Amino acid sequence: MIVLLPAGAFFRKGLLLLQLKVIAHMRNDFSTKFGLPRQSGLVEAIRGRIVFEEDYRVADALRGMEGFSHLWLIWGFSEAVRQDWKPTVRPPRLGGNKRLGVFATRSPFRPNALGLSCVRLEGIDYDCSDGPAIIVSGVDMMDGTPIYDIKPYIPYADCRPEAAAGFVGENADRHVEVVFDEALLALVPCDRREALLGVLERDPRPAYHDDPERVYGFEYAGLDVKFKVSDGVLTVCGVAALSGE
């Protein structure tokens, strides 16, 4: 039996108590979780840098990685860590009212708050001051997320085209029309616009929210982005620099 502990690794009465070490952190433009895509790969334009902890900044540890196009990241839901757990959760995709088993969902509220994401490998920066750093896209993790392991995505083993999607298959490709005034769009750096538009097109609201008068907002690339949604149209109503930026 393997038990994951926050610190320490030793044997006790036949159990292997294994330390789960943070090897790196994700760095990107999302300082909060609201606004992030619900799954990795949905918005390919969202980029991030995987910055290793000092003990793991070893170029040899990445030898051969360039031969792969995608990576698996095992990471922690750092804002969802709790001591207790519940066997059922309320998936937002089902309106937040129906309960399903936690192991039948990707809810962050789990016995072990671990996440799994498949991201595209864009490159490896060996020359930066905190390198080597891995550049990835299709990210669904907020800035500062702890990463516990990185593994290559292997198509012949990891891809199952015939797999059933369960309850998440419904409205999996839901999009909304985005209305973004040119004057507001001009406040977004050019190299950040594609990712932001991709996030908005996916409608960041919880699936069960349907209040056309409610103003939603999230932080992105040092900006506070405000929007409303009505009849399948998302209208951006504000873009402003965050205080202190």
Side-chain angles (χ1 to χ4, degrees):
M1 178 178 180
I2 296 177
V3 181
L4 299 181
L5 297 180
F10 52 90
F11 288 94
R12 187 181 66 192
K13 294 183 180 179
L15 302 182
L16 172 59
L17 304 182
L18 178 64
Q19 180 183 11
L20 192 62
K21 302 176 181 178
V22 175
I23 64 168
H25 287 86
M26 174 60 66
R27 296 300 177 194
N28 63 21
D29 290 320
F30 287 90
S31 57
T32 61
K33 62 183 179 180
F34 184 73
L36 280 167
R38 296 174 179 87
Q39 302 292 339
S40 59
L42 293 182
V43 182
E44 289 285 358
I46 298 179
R47 289 204 170 200
R49 296 176 75 248
I50 299 173
V51 179
F52 287 94
E53 294 292 281
E54 189 170 351
D55 287 348
Y56 303 100
R57 294 179 185 175
V58 181
D60 280 347
L62 308 185
R63 187 186 302 171
M65 182 177 284
E66 293 92 341
F68 296 93
S69 65
H70 292 74
L71 303 171
W72 286 112
L73 305 181
I74 300 172
W75 50 278
F77 289 104
S78 52
E79 293 193 353
V81 176
R82 52 180 59 182
Q83 295 299 317
D84 60 345
W85 74 286
K86 295 182 179 180
T88 61
V89 294
R90 302 176 187 267
R93 187 179 290 275
L94 296 180
N97 297 314
K98 183 177 180 179
R99 284 193 172 274
L100 291 179
V102 63
F103 300 128
T105 75
R106 295 194 176 186
S107 168
F109 303 108
R110 325 182 65 78
N112 293 302
L114 296 177
L116 178 68
S117 296
C118 179
V119 296
R120 177 182 292 276
L121 173 61
E122 298 290 348
I124 303 174
D125 186 352
Y126 289 100
D127 299 322
C128 57
S129 60
D130 54 3
I134 304 175
I135 314 302
V136 295
S137 62
V139 174
D140 63 343
M141 306 150 62
M142 62 184 288
D143 182 63
T145 295
I147 297 173
Y148 297 111
D149 203 2
I150 302 170
K151 301 177 185 289
Y153 177 94
I154 303 173
Y156 77 82
D158 296 340
C159 182
R160 292 290 186 267
E162 75 282 7
F167 73 93
V168 300
E170 302 176 13
N171 301 317
D173 200 36
R174 183 184 67 171
H175 286 71
V176 294
E177 178 185 349
V178 176
V179 176
F180 207 141
D181 183 85
E182 289 187 6
L184 293 177
L185 185 60
L187 300 176
V188 182
C190 293
D191 61 347
R192 299 294 195 271
R193 293 177 188 175
E194 183 182 358
L196 177 57
L197 289 171
V199 167
L200 296 172
E201 288 172 357
R202 287 280 179 175
D203 190 354
R205 302 174 304 162
Y208 53 91
H209 281 205
D210 189 23
D211 181 355
E213 298 304 317
R214 180 169 177 173
V215 176
Y216 297 84
F218 61 91
E219 298 178 5
Y220 171 73
L223 300 170
D224 183 19
V225 181
K226 304 288 189 184
F227 67 91
K228 291 183 176 182
V229 182
S230 178
D231 295 327
V233 178
L234 183 152
T235 302
V236 178
C237 50
V239 175
L242 293 169
S243 58
E245 295 293 332

